[in-house]
């Protein structure tokens, strides 16, 4: 194997490590955001425990909501952590593969290097799966929060005798108004 072959064979691991490093950086930033949200929810939960209200039911609903969000964010943080660990393992196996190519000059060099490349790609695919899991966890607690808040708003509106139209979400109201506006414009023509 010539020096030219060695340099050509070591370029692929360098590009894989570079891409994995950028992906790891993005996940680390996401983990920082999740940890900050966890801390904020913990503080809000403690404030909710300290708060005294005349009606205990909304307070208990908010406490349950905070606990669900904290649980969901803990799962997201674990998924991000495992994803980062898989990226690190992928980078290490890619480095080992690159070292095997450059150091060893035997008939099995490429086979050994290919095994490490395959292991590296498996770790990278696993990290992508964990990142996908984290995205699904992120959307679950937002949907739970919206449902709980809309339930509380509808209860408050019913207690105040307000229009049930206010119980709908903002997106639903905008969509309905858009359809009504479109029909009015079509009828005008």
């Amino acid at each position: 194997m010539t020096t030219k072959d060695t340099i050509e064979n070591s370029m692929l691991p360098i590009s894989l490590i570079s891409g994995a490093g950028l992906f790891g950086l993005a996940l680390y930033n996401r983990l920082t955001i999740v940890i900050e949200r966890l801390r904020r929810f913990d503080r809000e939960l403690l404030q909710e425990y300290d708060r005294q209200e005349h009606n205990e039911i909304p307070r208990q609903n908010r406490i349950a909501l905070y606990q669900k969000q904290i649980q969901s964010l803990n799962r997201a943080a674990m998924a991000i952590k495992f994803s980062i660990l898989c990226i690190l393992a992928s980078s290490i196996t890619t480095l080992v593969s690159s070292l095997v190519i450059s150091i060893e000059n035997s008939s099995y060099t490429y086979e050994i290097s290919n095994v490490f490349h395959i292991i590296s790609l498996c770790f990278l695919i696993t990290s992508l799966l964990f990142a996908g899991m984290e995205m699904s966890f992120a959307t679950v607690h937002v949907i739970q929060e919206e449902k709980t808040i809309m339930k509380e708003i509808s209860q408050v509106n019913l207690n105040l005798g307000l229009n049930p139209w206010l119980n709908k979400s903002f997106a639903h109201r905008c969509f309905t108004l858009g359809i009504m506006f479109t029909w009015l414009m079509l009828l005008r023509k």
Side-chain angles (χ1 to χ4, degrees), residues 13-36:
I14 290 171
S15 61
L16 283 174
I17 290 171
S18 175
L22 289 174
F23 185 54
L25 181 64
L27 285 173
Y28 184 76
N29 287 335
R30 179 73 183 134
L31 182 62
T32 304
I33 291 168
V34 168
I35 289 172
E36 182 58 35

Side-chain angles (χ1 to χ4, degrees), residues 104-138:
E104 192 175 318
N105 271 337
S106 69
S107 60
Y108 299 112
T109 300
Y110 288 110
E111 289 81 8
I112 294 170
S113 175
N114 285 337
V115 167
F116 282 111
H117 274 298
I118 290 170
I119 293 170
S120 174
L121 290 175
C122 288
F123 278 128
L124 196 58
I125 290 170
T126 305
S127 71
L128 289 172
L129 291 174
F130 278 122
M133 285 174 44
E134 188 274 328
M135 283 188 245
S136 69
F137 293 148

Side-chain angles (χ1 to χ4, degrees), residues 165 168-182:
W165 172 256
K168 304 293 183 194
S169 70
F170 180 72
H172 183 266
R173 286 184 287 192
C174 288
F175 179 72
T176 306
L177 288 175
I179 290 175
M180 291 169 56
F181 181 73
T182 305

